[in-house]
């Protein structure tokens, strides 16, 4: 079992001052996050007719309610 904090004088690859010499660590991975991993499918349909009809019905009901409320306040 290794100690979580090894003695620096016996740890390979450390320079004085706890620095790591060049070449001791692996190089960074270049370009691993560029591009997509698989082709994305295109959206084929926009809003269907049913959601649009429901939205228009709700808007009409709210408008009718507001107009009715305004008429009762005026009268």
């Amino acid at each position: 079992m290794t100690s979580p904090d090894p003695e620096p004088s016996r740890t390979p690859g450390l320079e004085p001052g706890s620095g790591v010499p060049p070449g001791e660590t692996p190089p960074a991975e270049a370009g691993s996050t560029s591009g997509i991993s698989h082709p994305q499918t295109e959206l084929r349909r926009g809003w269907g007719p049913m959601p649009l009809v429901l939205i228009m019905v709700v808007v009409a009901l709210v408008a009718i309610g507001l107009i009715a409320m305004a008429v009762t306040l005026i009268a």
Side-chain angles (χ1 to χ4, degrees):
M1 183 169 155
T2 61
S3 170
D5 192 17
E7 189 173 330
S9 63
R10 294 184 3 182
T11 304
L14 286 181
E15 292 181 334
S18 298
V20 179
E24 190 67 31
T25 58
E29 213 175 308
S32 66
T33 58
S34 64
I36 57 174
S37 59
H38 54 81
Q40 296 178 351
T41 58
E42 291 184 28
L43 294 177
R44 299 186 190 276
R45 293 182 1 168
W47 284 78
M50 196 60 175
L52 291 177
V53 168
L54 289 175
I55 290 171
M56 288 191 300
V57 167
V58 169
V59 168
L61 289 175
V62 168
I64 290 170
L66 290 175
I67 291 170
M69 209 164 68
V71 167
T72 58
L73 288 176
I74 293 173

